[in-house]
Amino acid sequence: GENVEQHPSTLSVQEGDSAVIKCTYSDSASNYFPWYKQELGKGPQLIIDIRSNVGEKKDQRIAVTLNKTAKHFSLHITETQPEDSAVYFCAASMVAGGSNYKLTFGKGTLLTVNP
Amino acid sequence: EAGVVQSPRYKIIEKKQPVAFWCNPISGHNTLYWYLQNLGQGPELLIRYENEEAVDDSQLPKDRFSAERLKGVDSTLKIQPAELGDSAVYLCASSLGRVSGGVSYNEQFFGPGTRLTVL
């Protein structure tokens, strides 16, 4: 089955700096890679996702890059703000024929943005 | 639009007692998921429903866990009897399922979870 490794497990940055979280996956059949943000006491919330037919996707201060050859993908947050502090999870899934397949999550990165 | 609703939010029980969690997915979402999240870990899939059918329950410990989604809408996850190691957050998620027209069918929306403590 799929295995997703996520690094670092904790990340502390100063407000305004950039933050980068990296993930690797094992199953070359995976073609959908979402990133979730989880705040304390809440469920994970999708913040951005990317499919294997593109190499990069950006949404305001958040961007995700995908390297299919190396089987790794990264989350980039620019101009970090204290409200970006949370646990971030990467995940991988194989989607075919319009059906959902299970998401395999990384272990998460605790991001702390210091004011 | 209401999100995924779960209840209860917190549950404390003695070991060997039964417990049940309820989930109401987003209206119109055909696919429903139950995940287990241990402290400091990412969610792990327990079971996935397409409408009423459990299409992936390979990770569900069937000796003590059961789930149902009788009318293809809300769902219940049960543990009987609970063990100390079952203490965790149980998350429910839903997604649209098979759709077309450019709509993101992959996006899974999560509920707030039920935090279970087994004493």
Side-chain angles (χ1 to χ4, degrees):
Chain A
E2 176 65 276
N3 182 52
V4 176
E5 300 283 341
Q6 182 171 348
H7 300 280
S9 56
T10 62
L11 179 59
S12 181
V13 300
Q14 290 299 122
E15 183 177 0
D17 287 350
S18 295
V20 180
I21 303 170
K22 299 181 179 181
C23 290
T24 60
Y25 61 99
S26 61
D27 189 347
S28 57
S30 290
N31 57 5
Y32 175 64
F33 307 92
W35 286 87
Y36 285 84
K37 175 184 181 181
Q38 188 173 27
E39 297 176 322
L40 198 61
K42 297 183 179 180
Q45 179 185 11
L46 180 74
I47 55 172
I48 195 168
D49 57 12
I50 190 168
R51 297 179 189 167
S52 60
N53 57 348
V54 298
E56 184 173 0
K57 184 177 179 181
K58 188 174 182 179
D59 182 5
Q60 300 182 351
R61 298 186 296 110
I62 295 174
V64 58
T65 58
L66 171 65
N67 183 326
K68 286 189 294 183
T69 303
K71 289 191 280 190
H72 66 69
F73 56 113
S74 300
L75 177 71
H76 304 253
I77 306 174
T78 59
E79 300 173 21
T80 54
Q81 301 167 4
E83 50 265 39
D84 294 330
S85 297
V87 178
Y88 290 80
F89 291 97
C90 62
S93 174
M94 195 273 284
V95 178
S99 292
N100 289 270
Y101 289 79
K102 73 173 187 178
L103 287 174
T104 300
F105 285 83
K107 291 188 175 182
T109 296
L110 174 61
L111 174 64
T112 303
V113 180
N114 301 299
Chain B
E1 178 182 312
V4 176
V5 179
Q6 290 188 248
S7 69
R9 291 295 315 278
Y10 305 91
K11 189 74 176 178
I12 301 174
I13 61 172
E14 300 275 337
K15 64 181 180 181
K16 300 185 181 179
Q17 294 300 305
V19 64
F21 314 123
W22 177 80
C23 173
N24 191 26
I26 294 173
S27 178
H29 280 195
N30 298 321
T31 308
L32 184 146
Y33 313 76
W34 283 103
Y35 286 87
L36 165 71
Q37 186 175 25
N38 286 305
L39 188 65
Q41 303 290 318
E44 299 173 41
L45 182 71
L46 289 172
I47 189 168
R48 172 170 65 97
Y49 282 94
E50 297 283 351
N51 299 302
E52 305 89 356
E53 183 183 2
V55 296
D56 184 358
D57 63 355
S58 57
Q59 303 302 312
L60 190 71
K62 298 181 183 61
D63 56 336
R64 298 184 299 107
F65 286 66
S66 64
E68 59 183 17
R69 193 185 185 198
L70 294 176
K71 297 183 179 178
V73 181
D74 57 347
S75 175
T76 301
L77 177 68
K78 298 178 181 178
I79 308 175
Q80 183 171 8
E83 297 179 351
L84 294 176
D86 296 332
S87 295
V89 175
Y90 292 82
L91 293 163
C92 179
S94 69
S95 64
L96 278 168
R98 293 176 184 266
V99 293
S100 61
V103 178
S104 174
Y105 51 78
N106 312 101
E107 183 173 353
Q108 295 185 24
F109 295 84
F110 283 81
T114 297
R115 180 175 295 278
L116 173 67
T117 301
V118 182
L119 302 176

